[in-house]
C-alpha cells in the first residue's frame, strides 16, 4: 500500500526548481501528507490564524476541535487554498502549495474536500456530480468516468441513488455523494469541514460511518467537527484550536481524558456536559 | 335601401377599424411588415442575448478596467430611451461620415439595448449562484472557466429565464420604433396605409399582427419558465 503510494508520487514535479526544495521534497513513506508551518491568515486587520504548525502523516485521522471563531475552518480551507494564506508554508505530499509556480488545480485534485453544506451541483444527478471532475479534470473517457463514479457511489453505499438529483436525496445521502465526489479523484488527503453540522441528528450516523470506512481503507484525513464522540473513537490525534493558535494536541485519550490547558478544559466542559 | 338606414355607432366602429375593402387592399403590405418585423426581432433576440451573455461571462473574470467599461456601457444603454439613441445614430452619425441603413440602425440599437439588460440579468444569475458551488468545483481541481461554464452557468441560466423572457419581449416590441426612421415593419406599413386609405383599419390590422407574433412568444416564455423550474436542493 505504502509502496504504491510512493511510486505514484515519484513522477510528480517538485514544487520549486530550487535544489534545496528538491532535497526537501524527497518522499519517503514517513513524509507527512500534510505539513503546515508558520501558517498565518489575516482578514484586513484581523489576524485569524497566528502561526499554525501541524503535520498529518499517511493514513492518520486528525481531528480539529475548538470554539467557533477559533480559526479551525479557516485553517482547513487554507490547506487547499480556498482561503489564501497570508504567510507560512503548506506542503501536501512534499509539494509546496504556496509556491508561485504551483499548479493549484493539479494539487487540488489530490486533496479532497467535503463541506458543511454539501455543495452538490443541483442541476446534475449524483452520478453527474461525481463524474464532472473525472471528465473535465482527469479527462477520462465518458464510459470510464461513469464506471468510476458508480464505484465511488458504491463505496459510500449509494449505488442505487446514482440517477437521483440532490433534491431527491436526504441530507445524509447528499453528504455521502459529496464524499464520493471527492473520493473518485483518488485524493491523498481528505479535508472535512464540519461534515455533519447541517444534518438532522438521525442522519449523522451514515456520514460518520462513511468516514469510518475511509479511515479503514487507509485514507489520510483532516477533520474539523463537533462530533466529540466520533473524535474519541476514530481519531488518531486531536488538535484543540483557540484564538488562531493550536493550544494543545495529542491522542484523544489525552485531550479528552486529561487536557493540560485551562482553555481546553473550559471548552470541553462546555461541549461535553 | 341600405343607404336609407342611419349609421349606428356600431357600424361606424366596424367601418373605422374593420373595413373589408381596406383589409383586402392592404393585407399584402401588412404581411410584408410582419416579415420585416420578424427578421429584425429574430436578429435582435439572437444577437442581443448572445452579446449580453458574453459580457456577463467576461465580467465574471472581474478584471477591473474591463468591468468598469461594461458597467458604464450597460448603464448608459439602460438609462437612455431606445428611441433617442435610434434618432441620434440615424440622423446624427451621417454628419461625421458614418451612414448606416435604417434597418442596420434599428437592429444595432435594439441589440445593444437588449444586450445591456441581458448582461445585467445574466450577471445577477451568476452572482446568485452560491459561493459553495464555486468552492466545491474548484476543490476538485476544476479551473475558473470550467467552473463558470459547467457548474455556475447552468444554474444561473435557469433563474435567468423568467426575467430574460420578459425583457426580451419588451425590447423586441420596440421594433415598432423602426417606423420613425422608415423601416418598413408592421407599424410603418400600417401608418402609411392608414394615411392612404383615410381609415384606421390598417392600424387595427397592425395591432392584430403584433398579437399574432407575440402571443406565441409570451406562451413560449411561460412554457420555458415551467420547463426550467426545478426543485432546489
Amino acid at each position: 500500500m505504502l509502496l504504491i503510494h510512493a511510486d505514484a508520487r515519484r513522477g510528480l514535479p517538485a514544487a520549486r526548481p530550487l535544489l534545496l526544495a528538491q532535497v526537501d521534497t524527497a518522499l519517503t513513506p514517513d513524509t507527512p501528507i500534510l505539513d503546515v508551518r508558520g501558517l498565518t491568515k489575516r482578514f484586513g486587520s484581523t489576524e485569524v490564524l497566528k502561526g499554525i504548525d501541524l503535520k498529518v502523516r499517511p493514513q492518520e485521522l486528525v481531528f480539529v476541535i475548538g470554539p467557533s471563531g477559533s480559526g479551525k475552518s479557516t485553517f482547513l480551507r487554507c490547506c487547499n487554498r480556498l482561503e489564501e494564506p497570508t504567510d507560512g508554508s503548506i506542503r501536501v505530499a512534499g509539494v509546496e502549495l504556496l509556491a508561485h509556480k504551483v499548479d493549484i488545480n493539479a494539487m487540488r485534485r489530490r486533496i479532497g474536500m467535503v463541506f458543511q453544506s454539501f455543495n452538490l451541483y443541483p442541476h446534475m444527478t449524483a452520478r453527474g456530480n461525481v463524474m464532472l471532475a473525472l471528465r473535465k479534470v482527469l479527462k477520462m473517457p465518458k464510459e470510464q468516468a461513469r464506471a468510476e463514479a458508480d464505484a465511488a457511489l458504491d463505496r459510500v453505499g449509494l449505488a442505487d441513488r446514482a440517477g437521483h438529483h440532490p433534491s431527491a436525496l436526504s441530507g445524509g445521502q447528499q453528504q455521502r455523494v459529496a464524499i464520493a465526489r471527492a473520493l473518485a479523484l483518488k485524493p491523498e488527503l481528505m479535508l472535512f469541514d464540519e461534515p455533519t453540522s447541517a444534518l438532522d441528528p438521525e442522519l449523522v450516523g451514515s456520514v460518520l460511518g462513511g468516514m469510518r470506512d475511509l479511515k479503514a481503507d487507509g485514507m489520510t484525513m483532516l477533520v474539523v467537527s463537533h462530533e466529540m464522540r466520533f473524535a474519541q473513537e476514530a481519531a488518531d490525534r486531536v488538535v484543540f484550536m483557540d484564538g488562531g493558535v493550536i493550544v494543545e494536541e495529542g491522542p484523544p485519550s489525552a485531550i479528552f481524558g486529561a487536557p493540560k490547558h485551562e482553555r481546553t478544559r473550559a471548552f470541553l466542559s462546555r461541549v461535553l456536559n | 335601401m341600405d343607404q336609407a338606414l342611419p349609421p349606428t355607432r356600431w357600424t361606424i366602429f366596424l367601418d373605422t377599424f374593420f373595413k373589408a375593402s381596406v383589409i383586402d387592399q392592404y393585407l399584402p403590405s401588412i404581411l410584408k411588415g410582419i416579415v420585416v418585423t420578424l427578421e429584425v426581432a429574430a436578429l435582435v433576440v439572437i444577437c442581443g442575448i448572445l452579446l449580453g451573455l458574453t459580457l456577463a461571462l467576461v465580467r465574471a473574470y472581474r478584471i477591473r478596467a474591463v468591468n468598469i467599461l461594461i458597467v458604464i456601457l450597460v448603464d448608459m444603454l439602460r438609462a437612455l430611451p431606445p428611441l433617442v439613441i435610434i434618432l441620434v445614430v440615424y440622423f446624427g452619425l451621417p454628419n461625421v461620415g458614418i451612414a448606416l441603413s435604417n434597418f442596420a440602425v434599428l437592429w444595432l440599437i435594439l441589440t445593444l439595448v437588449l444586450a445591456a439588460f441581458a448582461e445585467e440579468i445574466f450577471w445577477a444569475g451568476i452572482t446568485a449562484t452560491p459561493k459553495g458551488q464555486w468552492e466545491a468545483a474548484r476543490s476538485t481541481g476544476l479551473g475558473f472557466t470550467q467552473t463558470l461554464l459547467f457548474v455556475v452557468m447552468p444554474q444561473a441560466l435557469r433563474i435567468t429565464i423568467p426575467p430574460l423572457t420578459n425583457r426580451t419581449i419588451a425590447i423586441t416590441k420596440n421594433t415598432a420604433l423602426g417606423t420613425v426612421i422608415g423601416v418598413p415593419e408592421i407599424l410603418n406599413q400600417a401608418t402609411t396605409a392608414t394615411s392612404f386609405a383615410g381609415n384606421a383599419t390598417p392600424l387595427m390590422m397592425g395591432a392584430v399582427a403584433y398579437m399574432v407574433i407575440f402571443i406565441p412568444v409570451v406562451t413560449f416564455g411561460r412554457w420555458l419558465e415551467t420547463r426550467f423550474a426545478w426543485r432546489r436542493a
Side-chain angles (χ1 to χ4, degrees):
Chain A
M1 180 71 188
L2 286 174
L3 269 178
I4 294 166
H5 261 260
D7 266 335
R9 278 186 238 128
R10 193 177 297 152
L12 294 165
R16 286 180 289 190
L18 300 170
L19 202 63
L20 190 68
Q22 279 173 348
V23 172
D24 231 24
T25 55
L27 291 165
T28 70
D30 293 330
T31 305
I33 297 284
L34 178 68
D35 187 350
V36 178
R37 292 178 198 182
L39 181 70
T40 61
K41 170 67 182 173
R42 261 192 299 275
F43 289 108
S45 59
T46 318
E47 197 169 29
V48 184
L49 298 177
K50 300 171 183 169
I52 303 284
D53 297 277
L54 184 73
K55 284 186 174 65
V56 180
R57 281 173 280 277
Q59 310 204 350
E60 238 190 336
L61 194 169
V62 174
F63 227 85
V64 183
I65 62 172
S68 65
S70 59
K72 54 193 193 306
S73 271
T74 305
F75 166 53
L76 195 79
R77 291 160 55 81
C78 282
C79 294
N80 66 354
R81 273 181 59 186
L82 278 187
E83 215 70 76
E84 206 59 58
T86 305
D87 202 6
S89 156
I90 301 172
R91 284 176 184 226
V92 172
V95 180
E96 176 58 63
L97 277 196
L98 306 185
H100 283 299
K101 292 174 73 176
V102 74
D103 179 350
I104 191 64
N105 291 335
M107 288 309 294
R108 277 177 177 155
R109 74 183 187 221
R110 300 167 65 186
I111 309 168
M113 185 153 192
V114 175
F115 300 85
Q116 177 176 354
S117 48
F118 327 139
N119 298 347
L120 292 184
Y121 316 133
H123 58 298
M124 295 181 188
T125 61
R127 182 186 285 122
N129 268 270
V130 182
M131 280 177 71
L132 183 67
L134 297 176
R135 298 271 293 133
K136 304 299 178 189
V137 179
L138 300 186
K139 312 286 182 200
M140 234 179 237
K142 196 169 188 175
E143 284 316 307
Q144 189 192 351
R146 193 185 160 94
E148 296 270 335
D150 285 356
L153 286 168
D154 191 37
R155 276 184 76 178
V156 295
L158 290 174
D160 58 331
R161 292 286 184 274
H164 289 58
H165 279 79
S167 55
L169 299 173
S170 74
Q173 291 172 333
Q174 289 188 52
Q175 192 59 300
R176 283 185 286 151
V177 172
I179 292 173
R181 176 172 68 184
L183 202 56
L185 294 163
K186 304 197 167 36
E188 288 150 81
L189 168 70
M190 293 258 299
L191 308 172
F192 291 84
D193 188 7
E194 306 204 18
T196 57
S197 298
L199 292 174
D200 290 335
E202 77 269 23
L203 300 176
V204 168
S206 70
V207 170
L208 295 183
M211 292 169 69
R212 212 173 273 127
D213 293 344
L214 279 186
K215 162 83 178 148
D217 290 346
M219 179 59 71
T220 310
M221 295 192 265
L222 183 61
V223 181
V224 169
S225 170
H226 297 289
E227 300 291 338
M228 297 299 165
R229 256 189 299 167
F230 184 66
Q232 290 184 43
E233 161 218 333
D236 295 299
R237 236 172 346 130
V238 175
V239 172
F240 173 67
M241 276 183 72
D242 193 14
V245 296
I246 292 178
V247 176
E248 73 176 286
E249 60 175 281
S253 56
I255 297 291
F256 292 109
K260 290 194 200 75
H261 284 76
E262 178 51 38
R263 282 149 89 185
T264 318
R265 279 196 289 273
F267 171 72
L268 288 174
S269 75
R270 280 202 306 275
V271 297
L272 290 178
N273 64 8
Chain B
M1 287 295 281
D2 273 355
Q3 289 91 331
L5 279 173
T8 61
R9 276 168 196 258
W10 177 240
T11 54
I12 293 170
F13 177 82
L14 285 182
D15 214 43
T16 306
F17 290 108
F18 298 95
K19 194 167 186 176
S21 60
V22 177
I23 291 178
D24 271 356
Q25 190 180 350
Y26 291 102
L27 189 59
S29 53
I30 296 292
L31 287 176
K32 268 188 235 157
I34 289 179
V35 172
V36 174
T37 293
L38 283 176
E39 281 171 355
V40 180
L43 281 175
V44 165
V45 169
I46 293 167
C47 300
I49 288 178
L50 283 182
L51 181 59
L53 181 61
T54 308
L55 289 173
L57 288 173
V58 169
R59 197 171 166 189
Y61 287 83
R62 296 180 198 268
I63 303 161
R64 206 180 152 75
V66 176
N67 283 11
I68 289 172
L69 278 178
I70 292 177
V71 170
I72 291 174
L73 179 74
V74 161
D75 283 0
M76 275 172 49
L77 287 167
R78 292 195 305 155
L80 285 166
L83 180 57
V84 173
I85 319 178
I86 287 170
L87 292 175
V88 166
V89 170
Y90 188 68
F91 294 111
L93 280 191
N95 296 315
V96 292
I98 306 169
L100 300 171
S101 74
N102 49 12
F103 191 93
V105 169
L106 183 63
W107 165 76
L108 181 68
I109 301 308
L110 292 184
T111 292
L112 288 176
V113 172
L114 178 56
F117 281 100
E119 186 279 329
E120 283 299 300
I121 292 169
F122 286 128
W123 177 244
I126 290 172
T127 54
T129 305
K131 199 164 155 251
Q133 293 289 314
W134 286 96
E135 292 183 344
R138 297 305 304 273
S139 79
T140 62
L142 288 170
F144 181 91
T145 305
Q146 288 177 317
T147 303
L148 183 63
L149 295 183
F150 303 124
V151 175
V152 175
M153 283 319 289
Q155 300 180 53
L157 289 181
R158 288 185 182 215
I159 56 173
T160 297
I161 281 167
L164 191 62
T165 308
N166 288 331
R167 185 52 71 175
T168 301
I169 292 167
I171 306 279
T172 315
K173 282 191 293 192
N174 278 338
T175 49
L177 295 176
T179 192
V180 298
I181 53 172
V183 177
E185 43 69 62
I186 295 171
L187 184 61
N188 189 269
Q189 298 283 5
T191 47
T192 308
T194 294
S195 51
F196 278 127
N199 179 285
T201 299
L203 280 175
M204 184 56 81
M205 292 167 72
V208 171
Y210 279 111
M211 302 256 280
V212 168
I213 291 177
F214 282 103
I215 284 188
V217 174
V218 173
T219 313
F220 176 68
R222 179 167 297 137
W223 176 82
L224 265 185
E225 283 174 33
T226 50
R227 168 75 180 73
F228 284 102
W230 92 113
R231 285 185 296 151
R232 281 200 158 265

